[in-house]
């Protein structure tokens, strides 16, 4: 399909003015609030200074595989002890934030508190943190919810993140390619082995040849809100690799940092 021609200069200017006016109207009707605590801020999708300084953004040096931040300088390509002992099935995992007292209100508010407007900002953060993963990615796949849980929650937070990231990165998102066909108890309170047993066999590719074709030979990025032990993401990865994916990476808004 041929791309639409750019608007002439005067019309483009009018478009920018209209966009700015719409933003001012939105701010008047819905004053900007901190994504974490709800205090007034200067722009939509921002954080107040008090909440910002509580966040721990993950940056190098980190494990080349799972993305665990190192507490010391390390050579490029260095792996953490866990990945050396038992490499995960995914190629690389990256996250925006450490999941701690600072980021927990953001994640839980987005996941359970209907703060879905935050997805736009989180998409920008994910694009920045996952730049190396997205450089040659073919498709974004959100970790799916079972239909029962989706009905109760009304939205899949991972799908919202994938769609927001797609708009910023240009990598297409396919929210229904993976399915959670078996309902499982919550992972909370389970140890690492229990989490792996809990999700074993819970995911599948969407039935039909078209789903297989969208996976075979593709470089895929799984999207989720939090990586704890990585059990859910590992199980999804195994399904995709068995279906013929060339590579599976993982990108999350936050991750638990085990030392």
């Amino acid at each position: 399909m041929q791309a639409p021609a750019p608007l002439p200069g005067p019309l483009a200017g009018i478009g920018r003015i209209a966009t700015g006016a719409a933003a001012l109207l939105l701010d008047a009707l819905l004053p900007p609030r901190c994504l974490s605590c709800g205090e007034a801020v200067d722009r939509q999708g921002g954080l107040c200074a008090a909440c910002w300084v509580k966040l721990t953004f993950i940056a190098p040096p980190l494990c080349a595989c799972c993305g665990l931040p190192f507490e010391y300088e390390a050579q490029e390509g260095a792996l953490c002890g866990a990945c050396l002992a038992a490499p995960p099935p995914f190629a690389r995992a990256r996250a925006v934030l450490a999941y701690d007292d600072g980021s927990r209100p953001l994640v839980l508010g987005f996941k359970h508190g209907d703060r879905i407007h935050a997805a736009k900002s989180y998409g920008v953060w994910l694009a920045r943190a996952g730049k190396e993963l997205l450089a040659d990615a073919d498709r974004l796949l959100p970790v799916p919810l079972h239909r029962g849980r989706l009905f109760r929650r009304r939205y899949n937070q991972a799908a919202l993140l994938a769609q927001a990231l797609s708009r910023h990165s240009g990598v297409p998102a396919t929210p229904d390619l993976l399915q959670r066909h078996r309902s499982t108890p919550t992972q909370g309170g389970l140890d690492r082995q229990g989490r792996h047993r809990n999700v074993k066999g819970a995911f599948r590719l969407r039935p039909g040849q078209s789903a297989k074709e969208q996976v075979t030979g593709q470089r895929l990025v799984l999207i989720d809100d939090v990586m704890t032990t990585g059990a859910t993401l590992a199980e999804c990865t195994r399904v995709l690799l068995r279906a013929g994916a060339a590579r599976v990476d993982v990108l999350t808004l936050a991750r638990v940092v085990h030392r």
Side-chain angles (χ1 to χ4, degrees), residues 25-213:
L25 179 60
L26 177 62
D27 288 350
L29 295 174
L30 298 171
R33 298 287 179 181
C34 173
L35 294 176
S36 182
C37 70
E39 288 295 314
V41 292
D42 60 351
R43 59 184 176 83
Q44 298 285 353
L47 290 164
C48 69
C51 290
W52 179 266
V53 298
K54 294 177 184 177
L55 298 179
T56 303
F57 286 88
I58 294 176
L62 43 77
C63 173
C65 181
C66 76
L68 176 76
F70 290 137
E71 295 179 310
Y72 50 84
E73 289 300 321
Q75 292 182 342
E76 185 176 353
L79 300 177
C80 68
C83 288
L84 285 170
F90 46 78
R92 298 167 294 179
R94 298 293 182 267
V96 178
L97 301 163
Y99 188 62
D100 53 21
D101 291 342
S103 64
R104 192 172 293 109
L106 285 175
V107 174
L108 296 183
F110 179 61
K111 187 172 184 175
H112 300 295
D114 290 338
R115 296 182 185 175
I116 59 176
H117 61 281
K120 182 177 180 181
S121 295
Y122 299 158
V124 176
W125 297 1
L126 287 164
R128 197 173 298 137
K131 184 177 180 181
E132 60 179 321
L133 278 59
L134 300 167
D136 62 349
D138 296 307
R139 198 176 302 275
L140 307 175
L141 301 183
V143 172
L145 291 177
H146 186 265
R147 61 181 179 273
R149 186 166 297 175
L150 180 60
F151 178 79
R152 292 190 297 272
R153 191 177 293 172
R154 305 185 307 282
Y155 62 91
N156 178 2
Q157 73 280 358
L160 295 180
L161 291 174
Q163 289 163 355
L165 175 57
S166 178
R167 287 191 288 271
H168 289 289
S169 66
V171 181
T174 310
D176 62 344
L177 198 55
L178 266 180
Q179 294 180 342
R180 192 169 195 145
H181 67 102
R182 180 170 65 81
S183 182
T184 57
T186 178
Q187 296 277 69
L190 298 177
D191 60 14
R192 180 178 292 272
Q193 290 74 23
R195 285 172 178 260
H196 280 277
R197 288 193 300 269
N198 190 40
V199 297
K200 188 173 180 59
F203 300 94
R204 69 182 179 191
L205 209 61
R206 184 187 68 220
Q209 184 62 27
S210 65
K212 175 80 171 175
E213 292 170 353

